[in-house]
Amino acid sequence: MKTRLPLAYQILVFQVAIILLSALMGAAAALWQASQELDRQYEQRSLAIAESVASNSAIQDALLNGDPGGLIEQTAEQVRMSTGATYVVVTNREGIRYSHPNPALIGKPVDESPSTVLAGNTWVGVQRGTLGISARGKSPIFHGGGVIGMVSVGFLETAVFNQLLTELPGFAVTLLLALGL
């Protein structure tokens, strides 16, 4: 014959289960929201870097002249290294790369159609590219009132994920405090 737990213990077990489930769902929602916010921050950071490179008159002049001295690649690499971005890619209006962290891709066209950016608009988002999934920002390069190219800057999602991991102890402490209360 099986013995059943007294009703008071059964109610206690259900209450604890409900509290644990609620806390875990809240923690998951908070992590998702933090991840989305980090993506937005990295997208805006990428866009700010892209706009800065696009407004560089030396880049504009080199792009107009076909970049015979490789100034665009040198400048893009300096910006990439100083900002910690995964890539800084400068293309002409036809989408031909003048800079890329992988030198083999310089001179080759980009994979996606940058029509929004070439229409004179900035763009931010998360996309898959030749280096992987990244939070990126794109800015048109203007010269003489027209668009002559674009700059795309990105941070791999692994960088975003690693930053989220550094924030996990704070989430864990909050969760444990909530459960303790």
Side-chain angles (χ1 to χ4, degrees):
M1 194 166 158
K2 286 187 177 181
T3 59
R4 289 178 42 180
L5 285 176
L7 182 60
Y9 287 141
Q10 290 178 21
I11 291 173
L12 178 65
V13 167
F14 283 125
Q15 286 176 331
V16 169
I18 289 170
I19 290 171
L20 281 174
L21 182 62
S22 297
L24 289 175
M25 287 175 57
L31 281 174
W32 179 82
Q33 186 176 13
S35 173
Q36 296 300 307
E37 181 58 32
L38 280 175
D39 275 340
R40 279 190 289 280
Q41 289 175 9
Y42 274 93
E43 288 167 1
Q44 292 305 312
R45 185 175 170 191
S46 297
L47 181 60
I49 296 167
E51 289 175 330
S52 175
V53 172
S55 67
N56 184 327
S57 59
I59 295 282
Q60 295 168 4
D61 292 339
L63 192 58
L64 284 171
N65 296 320
D67 194 31
L71 173 75
I72 294 174
E73 172 65 14
Q74 293 169 11
T75 304
E77 278 301 298
Q78 288 172 351
V79 169
R80 185 179 73 80
M81 298 300 281
S82 67
T83 61
T86 303
Y87 63 85
V88 176
V89 175
V90 178
T91 69
N92 65 9
R93 187 154 179 77
E94 290 75 39
I96 303 300
R97 294 181 183 102
Y98 281 76
S99 67
H100 196 280
N102 179 355
L105 295 177
I106 296 174
K108 299 200 181 338
V110 292
D111 298 334
E112 74 275 353
S113 172
S115 59
T116 301
V117 180
L118 293 179
N121 303 308
T122 58
W123 183 90
V124 293
V126 175
Q127 283 183 326
R128 178 177 296 281
T130 58
L131 299 174
I133 298 173
S134 61
R136 53 180 70 179
K138 298 179 184 183
S139 176
I141 302 173
F142 291 102
H143 190 274
V147 177
I148 60 169
M150 75 169 193
V151 180
S152 178
V153 176
F155 291 86
L156 284 179
E157 280 292 297
T158 53
V160 177
F161 181 73
N162 287 338
Q163 184 168 348
L164 186 62
L165 285 179
T166 63
E167 295 177 12
L168 276 182
F171 283 110
V173 168
T174 304
L175 178 65
L176 291 175
L177 285 174
L179 287 175
L181 288 174

